[in-house]
Amino acid sequence: MRTDNRRVKYLTLLALVVGSGLGLLSATQTWFTIQVRDVADHAGTVTVAGSAAAPALTALSLAGLALTAALAIAGPVFRIVLALLGILLGVSIVYSALAVLGDPLQAASAAITSATGVAGEASLRKLVQSTTTEFWPWIAVVGGVLVAVAGALAIVFLRAWPGPSRKYQARFAGEDGRSAEEALAGLDGAAEAEQPEGAAEAGDEREAREAAESDAPAEPAALDRDTAIDSWDELSRGDDPTR
């Protein structure tokens, strides 16, 4: 069952990569070949690339590739947001390609004006003789569909996706089989239990130090000044002051 879940995840990510890659590839290819009447000795053939016909296609495809990397490591809640964003990107890619297919002349107007110098929709329509559509716009449509489907699959199989890998957690497990989180929680509890005993030991040490200071011999009292003078006078007369 776990293998099937991983297969669903990898297929979804693969669809995102392929769809975004198709959109990015089609943006670099020629979408339309337009035959125009010769105007001031200008060439009669104008080619229009996908990036010119649908400027947003490149940015949307790059966003799809970035979405693939984010979706691969996202959690369940954030995965829903990314999946909805993937659906929106896919729909936007499809809309960009179909809008161009609906009116090729409008999409190619900038390229025709650059090649011939003629501007204005009415003038351009008179200038154009024929338009040939390549298959690359349809490749972009397929890519957009793949991106949207991949986003929908990420939501449908939300609970089937495997969670983060746990292969590195066993390295930090305790000898009794507990996980690293449980072992750390046990150490914190033991430290809190030992804290009162340490405080008591600190108190006993302080009391012993105060008792030792109180037992130390006191400094001799200073001699009275008058007594010292009398003793000196007796010694001067030859008398023994200690007698």
Side-chain angles (χ1 to χ4, degrees):
M1 183 64 179
R2 188 176 181 83
T3 302
D4 295 337
N5 294 343
R6 289 187 178 277
R7 185 178 294 110
V8 170
K9 176 180 179 179
Y10 294 150
L11 288 177
T12 302
L13 297 178
L14 180 61
L16 270 174
V17 172
V18 172
S20 302
L22 289 177
L24 191 61
L25 177 62
S26 64
T28 63
Q29 305 301 315
T30 299
W31 281 24
F32 304 108
T33 301
I34 300 176
Q35 297 291 331
V36 297
R37 295 183 176 89
D38 293 338
V39 177
D41 296 330
H42 289 292
T45 302
V46 178
T47 58
V48 182
S51 57
L57 183 59
T58 301
L60 293 172
S61 300
L62 291 175
L65 292 176
L67 179 67
T68 305
L71 195 60
I73 60 176
V77 177
F78 195 47
R79 194 182 306 150
I80 296 177
V81 178
L82 293 176
L84 293 175
L85 181 60
I87 296 175
L88 180 61
L89 285 175
V91 172
S92 299
I93 293 174
V94 172
Y95 174 78
S96 297
L98 291 180
V100 171
L101 288 172
D103 190 359
L105 182 59
Q106 180 66 29
S109 60
I112 298 174
T113 300
S114 177
T116 63
V118 178
E121 183 178 357
S123 300
L124 290 177
R125 293 189 181 280
K126 294 179 180 179
L127 186 65
V128 173
Q129 292 181 330
S130 63
T131 301
T132 303
T133 303
E134 307 294 339
F135 63 90
W136 288 108
W138 297 106
I139 296 297
V141 171
V142 173
V145 171
L146 283 176
V147 172
V149 170
L153 288 176
I155 296 177
V156 172
F157 296 98
L158 177 66
R159 297 185 180 276
W161 281 39
S165 176
R166 302 176 61 90
K167 65 179 180 179
Y168 297 110
Q169 296 183 5
R171 181 182 302 177
F172 303 101
E175 296 179 355
D176 54 356
R178 294 182 301 168
S179 63
E181 291 80 3
E182 294 175 351
L184 290 175
L187 290 176
D188 293 339
E192 293 177 358
E194 292 177 358
Q195 185 175 0
E197 183 178 353
E201 292 178 355
D204 295 341
E205 183 178 353
R206 183 171 59 255
E207 292 177 0
R209 185 169 59 254
E210 293 176 354
E213 292 177 356
S214 63
D215 293 341
E219 296 181 359
L223 294 175
D224 185 69
R225 184 172 180 274
D226 295 337
T227 302
I229 293 174
D230 293 341
S231 298
W232 180 260
D233 291 341
E234 291 178 357
L235 286 173
S236 299
R237 292 193 299 269
D239 296 335
D240 185 3
T242 62
R243 177 173 51 83

